[in-house]
Amino acid sequence: VHLAAPGTQIFTTQPGGVYAAKDRFGYDITGTSFSTPHVAGAIGLMYSVASPAFANAMTSDPANAALALKSMLLG
């Protein structure tokens, strides 16, 4: 596992100001729609602290910059 994000047994807010791992119909709260924001946040944080050289690479060659960022994240 390179980056852990929730996918099952997710506690989230429910009507009435409570937290639960099941929705109001009794179904488990699961799925990538809950884990995606965690991964996107990690990548956003990495972009926010980029060095000037990496910031230049992001504008001049965004595809390779994204691959480099992925490599850093997985490393």
Side-chain angles (χ1 to χ4, degrees):
V1 173
H2 299 292
L3 178 63
T8 60
Q9 298 179 331
I10 300 163
F11 278 79
T12 188
T13 55
Q14 298 292 315
V18 298
Y19 290 91
K22 294 189 182 289
D23 66 16
R24 62 188 175 149
F25 304 108
Y27 294 105
D28 289 339
I29 298 172
T30 63
T32 58
S33 58
F34 289 94
S35 59
T36 300
H38 287 262
V39 176
I43 292 171
L45 181 62
M46 292 174 74
Y47 270 109
S48 76
V49 295
S51 68
F54 189 76
N56 268 349
M58 286 189 288
T59 56
S60 64
D61 191 359
N64 276 333
L67 289 174
L69 192 70
K70 178 183 175 185
S71 177
M72 286 183 256
L73 181 66
L74 297 178

